[in-house]
Amino acid sequence: MKPRHFISLLDLTSDEFRTLIQRAIDLKNNRNPDFTPLKGQVLAMIFEKSSTRTRISFETGMTNFGGSAIFLSPRDTQLGRGEPIRDSAKVISSMVDAIMLRTNDHATVTEFAEHSSVPVINGLTDLLHPCQLLADMQTYFEHRGDIKGKTVTWIGDGNNMCHSYINAAIRLDFNLNIACPEGYLPNTDLVKSAGNRVKLFTTTLAASEKSDLIVTDVWASMGQEEEQKLREIAFKDFQVTQALMDAANSDALFMHCLPAHRGEEVTAEVIDGKQSVIFNEAENRLHAQKALLELLMCA
Ligand code: CP
Ligand code: NVA
């Protein structure tokens, strides 16, 4: 039987997504050290890029559940020396119970999944960051209840996080206003796939009006470091400021997947302010991913 993978949020149905969020909240609120459903199981974690939250949350989640995780860097494995992805997928999946990958190229994760005999989890690619959205949505539900019918505003780069917000809007049925500079818009097919749930804006203020949640991310993602200076110019009018938070609904929240650059994509006033829930959001990576590991590995 083919294993169940988590490459995109669209791999979950709307009901599964909501159930997973509730399960994450339950795991967070009712911690039980004797609950070890993954006892003896092993998660391999392959990181082509840096990580703090993703690595620690998956490793801690596996340990909490009685299992363990192995950190693998391409620098130290044969993957980095050109061993074919399909061979690596067959070999690694023959020895472990699930595999998480963070890769530069989305196609690496999809090819790996095709040849893996165990569940593959996307821990971030250039296209998507679905694990982060599990935590973001859990955080919204915890603070404000179901997000269905609410309005979320994405400010900044039309990047992997923005793409995953589009998929979340499809599955959880919320409106998504996206304001990006010209030349940095999200993938056109993804935008089209969301139909009239997604609206593109050219100014941040109009995109923020009547919003329930404002979200942003770095201007230059991992692998785009050499574009930093160019992007600082292109994105200068795409900073989340208190004026944008004030244009949104009075109970609007602010989120950022982190790491953040205060004074670039968001002011310190906003990210360290009362509406910001960034540290709940970061912690929820652990709880949401434990719910995901349970879904994929305990079935
Ligand atoms: N938000 C996030 O994925 O953080 P890391 O890069 O630290 O894993
Ligand atoms: N868009 C960012 C997200 C980091 C968690 C990146 O890809 O670097």
Side-chain angles (χ1 to χ4, degrees), residues 102 124 129 159-161 217-218 221-222 257-259:
R102 168 169 285 196
L124 179 147
H129 193 5
N159 64 9
N160 45 8
M161 276 296 298
D217 188 11
V218 290
S221 284
M222 288 182 276
C257 64
L258 305 180

Side-chain angles (χ1 to χ4, degrees), residues 47 50-55 102 123-124 129 132 222 257-259 285:
F47 283 95
S50 306
S51 168
T52 297
R53 282 145 287 267
T54 305
R55 177 178 177 180
R102 168 169 285 196
L124 179 147
H129 193 5
Q132 183 67 51
M222 288 182 276
C257 64
L258 305 180
R285 293 293 303 277

Side-chain angles (χ1 to χ4, degrees), residues 7-172:
I7 309 296
S8 152
L9 290 172
L10 301 181
D11 293 331
L12 299 175
T13 65
S14 301
D15 284 350
E16 282 173 332
F17 198 165
R18 284 194 166 79
T19 303
L20 191 147
I21 291 167
Q22 288 310 328
R23 179 64 182 148
I25 294 171
D26 189 40
L27 285 167
K28 181 178 181 177
N29 294 336
N30 301 298
R31 299 182 201 210
N32 175 5
D34 298 327
F35 181 62
T36 51
L38 298 183
K39 193 161 186 235
Q41 297 207 42
V42 178
L43 173 75
M45 306 187 299
I46 299 170
F47 283 95
E48 285 182 359
K49 305 186 193 189
S50 306
S51 168
T52 297
R53 282 145 287 267
T54 305
R55 177 178 177 180
I56 296 171
S57 52
F58 271 113
E59 198 161 332
T60 303
M62 284 302 297
T63 306
N64 286 171
F65 273 172
S68 59
I70 305 174
F71 174 80
L72 298 164
S73 146
R75 282 177 296 282
D76 319 312
T77 62
Q78 300 292 3
L79 262 170
R81 295 184 59 250
E83 182 164 11
I85 293 167
R86 60 170 60 202
D87 291 358
S88 301
K90 284 179 185 163
V91 171
I92 298 170
S93 67
S94 73
M95 299 185 198
V96 302
D97 303 284
I99 302 164
M100 189 239 75
L101 291 102
R102 168 169 285 196
T103 63
N104 295 306
D105 188 355
H106 188 73
T108 304
V109 171
T110 52
E111 186 179 348
F112 206 100
E114 217 175 292
H115 300 283
S116 170
S117 56
V118 299
V120 167
I121 297 169
N122 177 356
L124 179 147
T125 66
D126 57 340
L127 187 71
L128 299 171
H129 193 5
C131 289
Q132 183 67 51
L133 262 289
L134 301 180
D136 286 23
M137 293 299 101
Q138 177 189 344
T139 309
Y140 190 89
F141 276 57
E142 282 176 341
H143 285 83
R144 300 282 183 263
D146 202 310
I147 200 163
K148 184 180 166 82
K150 302 281 184 184
T151 298
V152 177
T153 301
W154 177 269
I155 305 280
D157 194 12
N159 64 9
N160 45 8
M161 276 296 298
C162 178
H163 292 157
S164 285
Y165 262 91
I166 295 173
N167 286 339
I170 294 171
R171 281 295 181 262
L172 298 180

